[in-house]
Amino acid sequence: MKAENVVELYRALESLGITIWIDGGWAVDALLGEQTRPHEDVDIVIQEKGISALRKYLESQNYHDVIRDDTGSWNFVLGDKDDHLVDVHVIRFDKEENGLYGPKGEMYPAASLIGVGKVGDLTVKCISAEHLVKFHTGYKLDEKDYKDVLALCKKFNLELPKEYEKTGK
């Protein structure tokens, strides 16, 4: 997924009144203010109430469901014939404005939804740096995780998570 694809998607959804937050690798790059690596997809967070309009728009652009092991009503991927992939994370707000995600009540804390970054020349809503770092823990890390987390910690003066310190990277 190239920057221009992310910008086009974000602008189109915004024009339809659909609020999204950029998550994952593109959120890292948005916060850093530059693309640091290629991205297979764009991860987005969206409120449950926006799913129907999102699907209608993407289907009009010839996107279809891409079935994966973790596909569910709260997490699914839509792709087109050009291998553009949109990884959708669906939330419902609780009374404290936290985004509840999935059947186990995982959460996008309200403070995670206040990030602002840039993709190309477009200012986008994204997951905050502090929470992106937190979300990059608790699973088997790869080289992209190390680079992303180290860059975020350096730019935003955040403490490096312990699992990153032990690696010596």
Side-chain angles (χ1 to χ4, degrees):
M1 209 54 172
K2 295 181 179 177
E4 55 265 22
N5 305 121
V6 175
V7 168
E8 180 182 338
L9 175 67
Y10 193 95
R11 283 189 170 137
L13 296 177
E14 191 173 51
S15 75
L16 294 169
I18 302 169
T19 299
I20 63 168
W21 293 264
I22 305 294
D23 196 356
W26 269 114
V28 171
D29 282 357
L31 290 166
L32 295 174
E34 65 178 317
Q35 185 173 352
T36 62
R37 62 178 172 84
H39 298 279
E40 176 180 295
D41 63 5
V42 60
D43 295 86
I44 66 169
V45 177
I46 184 172
Q47 291 182 64
E48 186 175 44
K49 68 181 184 179
I51 292 302
S52 177
L54 171 77
R55 280 190 170 279
K56 183 177 178 180
Y57 170 74
L58 287 176
E59 287 168 4
S60 77
Q61 303 301 306
N62 297 312
Y63 279 72
H64 58 276
D65 284 293
V66 176
I67 304 303
R68 301 184 319 182
D69 290 342
D70 64 347
T71 296
S73 59
W74 65 92
N75 180 228
F76 55 91
V77 175
L78 297 166
D80 70 6
K81 64 178 178 47
D82 296 319
D83 293 325
H84 299 127
L85 298 172
V86 180
D87 190 348
V88 182
H89 307 268
V90 182
I91 60 172
R92 284 179 287 103
F93 283 127
D94 66 12
K95 62 185 179 215
E96 285 86 32
E97 297 295 311
N98 297 305
L100 302 177
Y101 170 72
K104 297 178 185 173
E106 295 174 64
M107 187 183 304
Y108 280 88
S112 72
L113 301 172
I114 62 169
V116 177
K118 281 190 103 68
V119 177
D121 65 349
L122 181 67
T123 299
V124 298
K125 293 181 180 191
C126 60
I127 304 305
S128 67
E130 176 185 353
H131 284 87
L132 276 174
V133 169
K134 287 180 184 178
F135 296 164
H136 275 80
T137 61
Y139 60 89
K140 186 173 173 19
L141 305 172
D142 64 24
E143 195 61 35
K144 290 185 292 188
D145 295 315
Y146 289 107
K147 288 179 180 177
D148 288 351
V149 168
L150 291 172
L152 288 171
C153 289
K154 182 177 179 181
K155 178 168 183 170
F156 293 96
N157 197 28
L158 299 171
E159 185 176 337
L160 190 65
K162 293 205 183 305
E163 60 196 279
Y164 287 84
E165 293 173 359
K166 293 177 186 177
T167 66
K169 295 196 180 229

